[in-house]
Amino acid sequence: MIYSMTGYAAGNRDLGQAILSIEVKSINSRYLDITFRIGDDLRQIEMKLRELISNAMGRGKIECRVYLQPQPGADKGSRDSLPNPTRLAQLAAQEAAVRAVLPAATPLSVADILRWPGVLAEQQLDAQQLEAECLALMSSLLVELLASRAREGAKLADAIRSRVARMRELVTEIGPLLAPLLADYRDRLSARLREAVAAIDEERIRQEVGVFAAKSDVAEELTRLAAHFDEVERVLAKGGAMGKRLDFLMQELNREANTLSSKSVSADITRIALELKLLIEQIREQVQNLE
């Protein structure tokens, strides 16, 4: 499987008293970088969520938003909400204990009692249940996120393969150009020597043609280009994490294209070298998004 580093997934869980929502967004990065925007009531789950993500992905900047929101239409402490009897009894016992030691202490007013934490509070979510629901939702979203990254990765791989195929075509065009170039150079060199001297030195012509052929010989560059093309296709066929490997191969391909351009002795070869460099740069842009 080939994974892009770009993806998005979001989902909700109805927990009765509240709705749990998680959003996960992934973009390209050199390393695995995970950041959270998470409420204080869920902070204790962050490390386990981070571990889930680390086990699922190797590279990318991952941004997670995890939050609880009340159910639509929920009444949080309205006038007709009744106090919690258990919390009232606890508060009465606490006040009696204080007044037994400090008889002059000011009694609690009704307003004080109603503002006391837990008296009008909604039923709290069970911590273990909340953690289980959060981890389950994150696991399902990671499956969705990885599927999204895989679809994007497949498209990127197809784009890379098509450009490698085009580069192979360009490289095959160079071979047939070299023999006519050498013959043309020999004819032009012979003509110049005839104009310069009365007697033609055939040995001198062969030496000059040999030097020209050596300077313009790109067989080694073509061989290395073909080998790099094979390696790119092998890496794509293997799948898995490949972004760094392909980025290195793009550097090597660009090096050979530069050498090909510097040895060019015709406008056609220069054109081919420039088109190779353009295709390599296009592939490099795609590679930046691969895990």
Side-chain angles (χ1 to χ4, degrees):
M1 192 73 71
I2 299 173
Y3 291 102
S4 166
M5 286 187 283
T6 303
Y8 177 82
N12 303 301
R13 281 285 175 93
D14 188 343
L15 305 182
Q17 294 80 26
I19 297 176
L20 171 66
S21 299
I22 299 180
E23 295 179 5
V24 187
K25 180 172 67 173
S26 171
I27 57 177
N28 63 313
S29 174
R30 293 183 63 187
Y31 309 103
L32 181 62
D33 180 14
I34 306 173
T35 58
F36 273 90
R37 293 175 58 192
I38 188 168
D40 292 337
D41 48 354
L42 298 168
R43 186 65 63 181
Q44 74 278 5
I45 312 175
E46 179 180 339
M47 290 306 298
K48 292 186 177 180
L49 294 176
R50 189 179 294 271
E51 185 178 352
L52 275 179
I53 297 172
S54 299
N55 292 336
M57 285 172 279
R59 286 179 66 196
K61 181 175 176 59
I62 315 298
E63 297 180 3
C64 301
R65 185 167 178 249
V66 186
Y67 57 97
L68 285 171
Q69 55 185 352
Q71 287 281 12
D75 190 354
K76 298 178 63 177
S78 64
R79 294 179 181 177
D80 55 353
S81 296
L82 296 177
N84 186 327
T86 303
R87 192 69 187 96
L88 282 175
Q90 293 172 348
L91 187 57
Q94 291 169 352
E95 182 183 22
V98 171
R99 292 180 64 78
V101 179
L102 301 172
T106 303
L108 292 172
S109 68
V110 174
D112 293 333
I113 294 172
L114 293 178
R115 284 197 300 267
W116 203 267
V119 171
L120 288 179
E122 293 179 330
Q123 181 183 355
Q124 297 297 311
L125 294 169
D126 179 73
Q128 291 184 345
Q129 178 192 1
L130 180 58
E131 178 178 316
E133 293 286 355
C134 195
L135 293 175
L137 178 56
M138 177 62 80
S139 296
S140 65
L141 291 179
L142 287 177
V143 172
E144 181 181 339
L145 180 64
L146 287 173
S148 172
R149 285 169 54 130
R151 289 191 296 271
E152 180 70 16
K155 293 178 182 177
L156 293 176
D158 289 341
I160 292 173
R161 290 190 184 97
S162 67
R163 286 168 173 79
V164 169
R166 174 56 183 158
M167 287 193 288
R168 285 189 185 277
E169 294 175 358
L170 291 170
V171 167
T172 58
E173 294 177 14
I174 296 177
L177 296 174
L178 296 176
L181 287 172
L182 288 175
D184 180 66
Y185 178 76
R186 179 183 177 86
D187 293 341
R188 288 187 287 107
L189 180 62
S190 298
R192 287 199 300 270
L193 288 176
R194 287 190 181 94
E195 294 175 359
V197 297
I200 301 176
D201 187 349
E202 293 294 335
E203 181 62 25
R204 175 65 183 278
I205 292 176
R206 283 195 293 271
Q207 291 176 356
E208 292 291 336
V209 171
V211 171
F212 176 80
K215 289 182 177 180
S216 60
D217 182 22
V218 293
E220 188 175 348
E221 285 74 20
L222 297 182
T223 299
R224 284 199 290 263
L225 282 169
H228 293 330
F229 296 154
D230 291 341
E231 182 63 11
V232 170
E233 292 179 340
R234 186 195 70 80
V235 171
L236 290 173
K238 181 180 178 182
M242 64 181 64
K244 293 182 179 179
R245 176 64 177 169
L246 289 179
D247 187 60
F248 170 75
L249 288 171
M250 292 308 106
Q251 296 177 31
E252 295 303 304
L253 282 169
N254 194 61
R255 190 195 313 277
E256 301 304 331
N258 284 334
T259 305
L260 188 66
S261 178
S262 66
K263 287 186 174 183
S264 174
V265 290
S266 76
D268 287 335
I269 294 179
T270 299
R271 173 187 57 79
I272 290 173
L274 292 176
E275 188 169 350
L276 284 173
K277 288 171 64 67
L278 175 61
L279 290 168
I280 292 168
E281 186 60 31
Q282 290 175 351
I283 293 177
R284 180 178 291 179
E285 291 176 358
Q286 304 295 337
V287 166
Q288 299 304 315
N289 288 318
L290 288 177
E291 183 176 321

